[in-house]
Amino acid sequence: MGTLSGWPESRVAWGEVTGAVGDTVTVLPIVVAVAALTDLSLGGLLLGFAVFQVVWGLWYGHPMSVEPMKALAALVIAGGLSTGEYVVAGLLAGGVLLVVGKTGTLARLAPYVGEPVVRGIQLGVALILLRTGLTTSLGAPPLAGLAVVVAVVAILAGYREVAALAVLGVGTALAVASAGAITPRLPTLALLVPSDLSLTRDAVGATAGQLAMTVGNAAVATSLLVEEYFDAEASPDDLSTSMGVMNLAAIPLGAMPMCHGSGGVAGKYAFGARTATSNVVLGGLYLLLAVVAVDVVAAFPMAVLGVVLVLVAIELGRSGVDTSDPLLTGVVGVVALLANVGVAFGVGLLGYHVLARVRDDGDGDGDPA
């Protein structure tokens, strides 16, 4: 892993400030949804992101993403996991990531998962979020219609990537108007109570599905982007180790399961971030939101949140369909929607290696892709 060397080389520039926004496009909508639809505290969730944006920015010395573990978040938002199962799944994922990262095995495991399987899990998560978003938005059609208009205007204006953030802003304005006076307060740490945890088959299956996404997107793809964008080294095993440390340290204090991600790195870069300053700026922004936003989430209109989830699902689904094997990816996605992501991961893994064996027998080159 790196050292705390990013700060001396950081610079304060407008690109670092705008770049910080690039990592919030999917983070804030998902965080608000988890806080609104579970009994987890928005302040505690945001505090976790605030701390680790700064920690990993300074540790790696360049812009680094910190995002929700999307498969787990989608399942708890959709009601497929209880809060206790969600927390346990995050801790399990953190433990596995720490072990495989410290032993240097993640890079060797990645080829066995297969890109179509990873894309299938992404597609399945997108479909789960889409279903939840549509159901939620139907609760108040006029508000949902307003949110759709805002999203369409953002897209037509050429800002498709921030459409969800624009709708979130409208929902926040409505929530502020409804909540009235906002009382700033420091977020408090919420220590886990063992009796609140729930180790179930669903939690283990969700962990397996999340790890499939994490291997492909949060470790391997992020490592490649860091090298391409910043000419820096962050190996998949380094990233796995830091994700393991982050979750085992933060979840017991009230944070949500978090990971790195290629989308967040690409977003930071596209919006102008070039140094660790963007992480420090974003950490400060999350801390500010944690102080003032606790009263807002309780008043957030659910119909608007449903539209936000639909937009997040569409963006995630766009990544899912960019695959070398559309049929296998589609099967994995549908199984995730109809059953769960754990079963989908097992089906996808089996299908990937069966197809690899068939193709190997057919062309003799041993290439499963």
Side-chain angles (χ1 to χ4, degrees):
M1 294 176 67
T3 59
L4 292 173
S5 58
W7 182 250
E9 298 177 4
S10 297
R11 57 186 173 85
V12 177
W14 183 243
E16 305 304 326
V17 177
T18 58
V21 177
D23 202 11
T24 65
V25 173
T26 57
V27 172
L28 285 178
I30 290 175
V31 171
V32 171
V34 169
L37 299 173
T38 72
D39 55 3
L40 295 174
S41 163
L42 178 62
L45 302 184
L46 289 170
L47 183 60
F49 283 98
V51 169
F52 282 100
Q53 277 286 342
V54 175
V55 167
W56 298 132
L58 299 183
W59 181 260
Y60 285 105
H62 51 72
M64 178 57 68
S65 60
V66 180
E67 306 176 2
M69 286 188 166
K70 293 184 180 68
L72 299 185
L75 291 173
V76 76
I77 289 169
L81 290 177
S82 68
T83 302
E85 290 171 327
Y86 178 54
V87 170
V88 164
L91 291 172
L92 287 174
V96 172
L97 290 168
L98 180 60
V99 170
V100 298
K102 292 299 289 184
T103 54
T105 59
L106 186 62
R108 294 193 295 273
L109 285 175
Y112 293 96
V113 176
E115 179 260 2
V117 181
V118 175
R119 296 303 188 192
I121 296 296
Q122 288 179 307
L123 179 61
V125 169
L127 292 172
I128 291 168
L129 279 178
L130 180 64
R131 179 178 61 190
T132 304
L134 290 173
T135 302
T136 304
S137 64
L138 293 177
L143 285 179
L146 172 63
V148 169
V149 169
V150 171
V152 170
V153 169
I155 293 169
L156 293 178
Y159 299 102
R160 176 183 58 79
E161 295 84 357
V162 297
L165 210 56
V167 174
L168 186 68
V170 171
T172 300
L174 293 172
V176 169
S178 174
I182 296 175
T183 304
R185 61 175 69 93
L186 291 175
T188 57
L189 299 178
L191 292 174
L192 277 181
V193 178
S195 60
D196 293 336
L197 303 179
S198 185
L199 178 59
T200 65
R201 182 182 302 174
D202 286 343
V204 174
T207 303
Q210 178 61 59
L211 288 173
M213 284 181 63
T214 300
V215 168
N217 178 61
V220 177
T222 301
S223 177
L224 293 173
L225 276 189
V226 164
E227 181 179 359
E228 177 184 347
Y229 287 161
F230 309 115
D231 194 25
E233 182 179 352
S235 74
D237 287 300
D238 286 341
L239 294 170
S240 178
T241 300
S242 62
M243 288 187 286
V245 169
M246 174 166 57
N247 284 291
L248 294 178
I251 292 175
L253 300 178
M256 68 191 296
M258 298 177 285
C259 60
H260 301 306
S262 58
V265 171
K268 273 191 165 80
Y269 185 85
F271 279 75
R274 298 294 183 270
T275 76
T277 302
S278 64
N279 280 67
V280 176
V281 169
L282 186 52
L285 173 62
Y286 283 143
L287 179 59
L288 176 63
L289 291 176
V291 170
V292 302
V294 176
D295 291 330
V296 175
V297 69
F300 200 94
M302 289 295 101
V304 176
L305 185 62
V307 176
V308 170
L309 293 178
V310 169
L311 293 169
V312 172
I314 291 171
E315 288 302 311
L316 190 59
R318 286 166 60 91
S319 298
V321 298
D322 182 17
T323 174
S324 61
D325 192 332
L327 179 59
L328 179 58
T329 293
V331 168
V332 173
V334 171
V335 172
L337 176 67
L338 299 180
N340 61 61
V341 293
V343 173
F345 175 65
V347 169
L349 203 61
L350 177 62
Y352 178 74
H353 287 285
V354 168
L355 289 173
R357 178 64 61 89
V358 169
R359 290 165 182 164
D360 183 48
D361 291 341
D363 58 28
D365 66 3
D367 181 9

